[in-house]
Amino acid sequence: QPAKRSPLHPPTTECCLPPSSQVYPIHLPRETRTRRALLICNIEFEHLRRRDGAEMDVEGMRKLLEGLGYAVDVHCNLTSERMVAVMNDFAHHKDHRTSDSTFLVFMSHGVRAGLCGTKSKDETTDILSLDIIYDRFNNKCCQALLGKPKVVIVQSCRGGNVGSVMVSDSADPAMPTPSSAHTIPAGLENDAICEVHLESDFATLHSSTPDTVSWRHPVTGSIFIQCLIEQFRKHACNSDLQEIFRKVQYSFGKFPRQLPAQERITMLRKFYLFPGF
């Protein structure tokens, strides 16, 4: 007689599941689906320098998301308090009930603790903790998005460190070889009654790793946003979300001063924006 398996160690069945059960479902046809995205971008600040070029990021992301079938709510130049209020309103939007997913895009100056509001002076004043994003859109506070992908995109610095280190192919670690790849390109600036998981179905891509800066061109916009838009346009038709995220990360291979980071990934299935069924 086979031994009983502990309920804490359920059998692995993923390989036996039909392909459709491993992909987030899209129940409604495109014409009746109400996808909605939130985009918050701070450009002008009372005490911090202006984020020149960020207007290009807003326009590029808006066009991308609209092309993916999302109505985009755009808000610019908000304090941390106003950002929370805007998130609260968006979390309760009626369209989420007939949607299959959402995108939450945040672009601002940033510190290790979070995103800078327009009144920020330093690392402690007018800062939006990123935890608030997940709190406002988790399965307790935003039940209309229960079981639906919630894609978080964050363009901001997360500290003041440069995200690269000098390395050498030599066997002697004390003999680093200078590399032209570490030269900063001209003009860039750093910048029902049941139990469910409280927080699930999130996928987050930060523009940089913790404690490091993000780079932005004052005319063309942020390098991260440019790469993200390019990869989505090329691969959203046939790649799942996390594969697109990986392609964005891979595209930074020749720019070692910045590396986008996937974090707080709680997606239980693959998310295809256009799954074809």
Side-chain angles (χ1 to χ4, degrees):
Q1 184 176 4
K4 292 184 178 179
R5 184 181 291 269
S6 167
L8 296 178
H9 300 85
T12 301
T13 58
E14 181 180 359
C15 62
C16 303
L17 296 174
S20 61
S21 66
Q22 300 178 38
V23 176
Y24 281 98
I26 296 178
H27 297 298
L28 298 172
R30 185 183 178 102
E31 55 270 19
T32 57
R33 196 186 309 143
T34 56
R35 283 179 171 174
R36 188 166 288 273
L38 175 65
L39 194 161
I40 295 177
C41 181
N42 288 339
I43 303 173
E44 304 275 359
F45 299 81
E46 292 186 11
H47 307 283
L48 306 176
R49 71 183 183 277
R50 190 179 191 275
R51 297 182 62 247
D52 292 327
E55 301 93 335
M56 299 298 294
D57 296 338
V58 172
E59 185 64 11
M61 284 302 302
R62 183 185 63 78
K63 288 182 178 179
L64 173 69
L65 292 170
E66 287 178 350
L68 295 174
Y70 293 85
V72 187
D73 295 357
V74 179
H75 301 268
C76 294
N77 302 328
L78 305 180
T79 64
S80 59
E81 184 178 357
R82 282 295 301 148
M83 284 191 272
V84 173
V86 165
M87 282 192 285
N88 286 339
D89 291 342
F90 185 78
H92 291 93
H93 202 291
K94 61 181 178 61
D95 281 357
H96 295 318
R97 298 189 178 279
T98 46
S99 178
D100 53 44
S101 57
T102 190
F103 273 72
L104 308 167
V105 183
F106 301 87
M107 300 186 283
S108 185
H109 285 308
V111 295
R112 186 67 171 87
L115 295 165
C116 296
T118 53
K119 295 182 181 295
S120 179
K121 296 180 180 179
D122 51 40
E123 295 190 4
T124 61
T125 58
D126 198 19
I127 302 298
L128 175 76
S129 169
L130 296 181
D131 287 340
I132 294 177
I133 300 171
Y134 304 95
D135 178 70
R136 292 302 183 272
F137 293 95
N138 67 23
N139 293 329
K140 177 181 179 182
C141 296
C142 187
Q143 295 188 10
L145 288 171
L146 174 66
K148 302 174 183 180
K150 295 165 277 284
V151 184
V152 182
I153 304 295
V154 182
Q155 163 60 47
S156 73
C157 289
R158 305 177 72 185
N161 297 333
V162 175
S164 62
V165 61
M166 298 294 284
V167 296
S168 170
D169 289 335
S170 168
D172 183 358
M175 296 293 292
T177 302
S179 170
S180 60
H182 289 60
T183 302
I184 303 172
L188 290 182
E189 300 176 352
N190 57 21
D191 217 70
I193 307 300
C194 63
E195 277 191 301
V196 297
H197 296 288
L198 176 62
E199 181 181 309
S200 66
D201 312 298
F202 282 97
T204 303
L205 188 63
H206 285 268
S207 59
S208 60
T209 52
D211 300 312
T212 63
V213 297
S214 295
W215 297 93
R216 170 177 39 82
H217 193 282
V219 176
T220 57
S222 306
I223 295 178
F224 168 69
I225 295 297
Q226 293 175 53
C227 291
L228 184 144
I229 290 171
E230 179 183 7
Q231 296 303 321
F232 266 88
R233 285 177 174 167
K234 286 182 177 179
H235 302 291
C237 61
N238 57 16
S239 296
D240 70 274
L241 180 78
Q242 286 178 260
E243 175 63 15
I244 298 173
F245 279 3
R246 189 196 61 78
K247 292 178 185 297
V248 174
Q249 292 175 294
Y250 184 79
S251 70
F252 277 76
K254 295 182 179 180
F255 187 68
R257 287 177 171 263
Q258 180 178 343
L259 179 64
Q262 296 190 51
E263 297 181 10
R264 211 150 173 169
I265 303 291
T266 56
M267 285 208 170
L268 306 178
R269 306 180 185 187
K270 292 182 178 181
F271 177 37
Y272 288 89
L273 285 148
F274 303 103
F277 52 66

